[in-house]
Amino acid sequence: MSIESLRGQGRPLIESVRAREVLDSRGNPTVAVAVATSFGAVEEAMVPSGASTGAHEAVGKRDGDKKRYNGKGVLQAVGAVNEIIGPALEGLDATSQREIDRTLIELDGTPNKANLGANALLGVSLAVARAAAISLGVPLYRYLGGPSAATLPVPMMNVINGGKHAEGALQFQECMIVPVGAATIADAVRCGAEIFHTLGKMLHDAGHQTLVGDEGGYAPKLDSIDEALALLVQTIEKAGYRPGTEVAIALDAASTEFYRDGTYWPHKPDDHPFDAAQMVALYDGLCKNYPIVSIEDGLAEDDWEGWQLLTKTLGARVQLVGDDLFVTNVERLQRGIREGSGNAILVKVNQIGTLTETLDAVETAHKAGYRAVISHRSGETEDTTISDLAVATGAGQIKTGSLARSDRTAKYNRLMAIAEELGASTARYPGRSAFAALTRA
């Protein structure tokens, strides 16, 4: 039975919206919101939080009370949901996502969601969508993406952590493996797990610590990005895969974190500064020496001229992803499209604060020939909404961390469940084609 015919039997109305304070994967408070509908459905969504946050992101509300959770409590955001947002939404059609999200934005009344808090708004927005899907008897990816939603994303698996995710380790924030040669999402997950464990053994045998960072990747004290990439190539080979052909590499430089006074400091210890042209030359050399298919935040969030140079130099052969640059914001993305900055956008639901704005950002990217990479945050929960979102939007790519920590593996497990539900004849794993035909150069 179609969603429309189910709606014909009556629309699920929002009966209650309740928030509570829960913990994320770093042990910090975050917001969980449960929505109940007139169809008897009750669904909850949990809001992630980031460590390396861009200056242009929507603002999550924290209490600032040092006597509770070192000031990181979210009782104000919880109160905003229970006392302001919930009463305003009761009785509305749960399937009217755009209307509901518009109401949330109007209730907040600020450009960056700072009044009620992006964490409050997002929790409600996602919980409404989940409750609507259950009310109509369809999985979330089908509810959001329609009957054609069948593309499973290629995962970028963060196996070496640095930057804000593992202080004292590598300056670059993430070194990722990308199973471009896998036949299915299940094969991709198995490939990633095998390489992850091989890397752990190699690090142990070399005398490195094998502790993991916020996103589940190892955090060894390596001297340079070259050392990290060479180690990844060796690990891929030792695990029985062919670098570049079966498993590629992706980077998240998070360069805003090492950008100071107009210059970049990509090496530890701070040996000498780089300008944008030197950073572009650094990436060009890395891409010639290693099988890199994607670079995220190669330059700082407001270095638009540098991004243009990076895109002109590498955009025809490497995916260049704007995270801090675009912050899932349609206006900033449109500027990038006009100016030729990057050729892909990282999509984080809590950067913008509502599901509708997130979907609009993906649509804008796709219409312009930009790739969209659905992404987690470093502070995650067991919530798996982004897995369904990746399939619903046909994004073809997802970032959701390493092959350790249940807050990360929950997303992989959900993707494999979706693939089984779709069936082998329907589920599509795009592999290398997810990175092909980049239109920006």
Side-chain angles (χ1 to χ4, degrees), residues 20-349:
R20 62 194 180 101
E21 189 178 59
V22 296
L23 295 181
D24 69 15
S25 58
R26 290 198 297 259
N28 293 325
T30 189
V31 178
V33 178
V35 169
T37 75
S38 58
F39 278 30
V42 180
E43 274 289 294
E44 186 174 68
M46 296 182 182
V47 178
S49 57
S52 58
T53 54
H56 305 287
E57 291 192 23
V59 177
K61 184 176 283 293
R62 299 281 181 181
D63 298 338
D65 180 359
K66 297 299 183 181
K67 295 180 180 179
R68 293 191 74 254
Y69 290 114
N70 300 310
K72 295 182 178 180
V74 292
L75 292 182
Q76 292 182 41
V78 167
V81 174
N82 294 338
E83 298 164 18
I84 300 172
I85 297 174
L89 297 187
E90 288 179 9
L92 296 183
D93 178 4
T95 65
S96 299
Q97 188 73 42
R98 187 168 290 274
E99 176 188 352
I100 288 166
D101 288 345
R102 183 171 59 249
T103 300
L104 293 175
I105 293 169
E106 291 172 353
L107 285 171
D108 177 82
T110 63
N112 60 356
K113 281 83 171 177
N115 182 19
L116 301 179
N119 44 354
L121 271 63
L122 180 63
V124 174
S125 182
L126 296 182
V128 166
R130 295 184 67 89
I134 293 299
S135 295
L136 299 182
V138 294
L140 183 59
Y141 69 88
R142 180 70 69 226
Y143 171 70
L144 295 176
S148 63
T151 298
L152 279 298
V154 177
M156 297 181 184
M157 298 162 158
N158 180 9
V159 294
I160 296 181
N161 286 190
K164 283 282 186 81
H165 294 170
E167 296 290 351
L170 199 65
Q171 187 81 306
F172 282 59
Q173 189 163 274
E174 300 175 19
C175 295
M176 296 167 279
I177 52 173
V178 188
V180 293
T184 66
I185 185 63
D187 287 340
V189 171
R190 176 176 60 83
C191 170
E194 291 171 356
I195 293 171
F196 175 74
H197 289 294
T198 300
L199 176 59
K201 186 176 187 306
M202 291 179 66
L203 289 171
H204 178 271
D205 292 346
H208 290 284
Q209 291 184 347
T210 53
L211 302 175
V212 298
D214 285 347
E215 297 185 356
Y218 298 112
K221 293 185 182 299
L222 303 176
D223 291 332
S224 69
I225 186 63
D226 271 287
E227 185 180 1
L229 296 176
L231 176 61
L232 274 189
V233 169
Q234 294 169 16
T235 304
I236 292 167
E237 292 174 336
K238 190 171 182 63
Y241 296 93
R242 290 172 293 170
T245 303
E246 294 178 305
V247 182
I249 292 174
L251 296 178
D252 176 7
S255 61
T256 299
E257 302 298 333
F258 54 81
Y259 182 70
R260 302 193 299 273
D261 300 322
T263 56
Y264 297 88
W265 300 79
H267 299 305
K268 284 186 175 181
D270 290 343
D271 54 355
H272 67 280
F274 282 43
D275 61 20
Q278 289 171 313
M279 287 297 298
V280 171
L282 171 64
Y283 294 128
D284 190 22
L286 293 176
C287 291
K288 289 175 180 175
N289 292 327
Y290 304 100
I292 295 172
V293 293
S294 181
I295 299 173
E296 178 186 332
D297 277 356
L299 294 171
E301 60 194 357
D302 287 316
D303 188 0
W304 291 95
E305 290 185 7
W307 270 94
Q308 291 173 37
L309 176 61
L310 178 65
T311 308
K312 288 178 182 177
T313 305
L314 292 177
R317 52 194 170 97
V318 180
Q319 178 172 270
L320 302 171
V321 186
D323 175 15
D324 292 344
L325 180 71
F326 295 139
V327 291
T328 317
N329 183 295
V330 168
E331 291 183 4
R332 288 185 67 86
L333 174 59
Q334 288 173 333
R335 176 178 175 179
I337 292 167
R338 290 193 305 270
E339 297 183 3
S341 298
N343 54 31
I345 180 174
L346 200 73
V347 177
K348 296 173 174 174
V349 289

Side-chain angles (χ1 to χ4, degrees), residues 138-142 414-424 426-427:
V138 294
L140 183 59
Y141 69 88
R142 180 70 69 226
R414 174 59 184 154
L415 287 171
M416 291 189 289
I418 292 173
E420 286 200 9
E421 185 175 304
L422 289 169
T426 301

